[in-house]
Amino acid sequence: MANEFQRRKLRNVFAAFDTDGDGCLRRNDFRALAERWGRLPAVQRDAALGVRVEALMLGWWDHLRTVADTDHDGKVDLEEFLVLVDRLPALRDVVTATADTVFDAVDENGDGRISRTEHGRLVDIWHGRTVPTDDVFDLLDLDGDGYLSRSEFALLWEQFWISADPSDPGNAMCGRIPEQ
């Protein structure tokens, strides 16, 4: 059974994904997410990466619709979405498979690591607005070198999606989880 922290975290994800703010997730929300992510500099420069990002976003929708649209109405409301909390640990491979594409999209200069600035853009793109991240990056930088390596990023990404422990640093991957 999901704990309240996990439910709060997924409510935050739902809000980020509900691009039109209508209280339901539909394919058009994920198309809008793909467009939003397409504004990242690395994605704009690399057409193949743009195709990967779009496939990832629309793949999230296809998977979400399959596992969460319990009434088969072509949309996923918050309660249906929260069903994922209990299913995410079994979807570990699906979650980790997305980390590389997200990493490549965020790594603006292609140096194989995510800087504080690049991470800030990830959070802003995730939410569709500017979100303060001043204190978040230091939690995520596990080795303290000022960057997130691909392996750090993959671990943090998995924690973000699957962890039930509020103290796991990956929970802050897309910004702080609101207390409510």
Side-chain angles (χ1 to χ4, degrees), residues 11-12 18 44 52 54 58 61 68 119 135 143 158 163:
R11 282 192 295 270
N12 195 42
D18 185 11
Q44 289 181 344
R52 284 174 49 209
E54 182 174 10
L58 296 179
W61 166 248
H119 174 260
D135 62 336
D143 62 9
E158 182 179 318
S163 175

Side-chain angles (χ1 to χ4, degrees), residues 41-55:
V43 178
Q44 289 181 344
R45 281 192 315 273
D46 183 343
L49 179 57
V51 169
R52 284 174 49 209
V53 167
E54 182 174 10

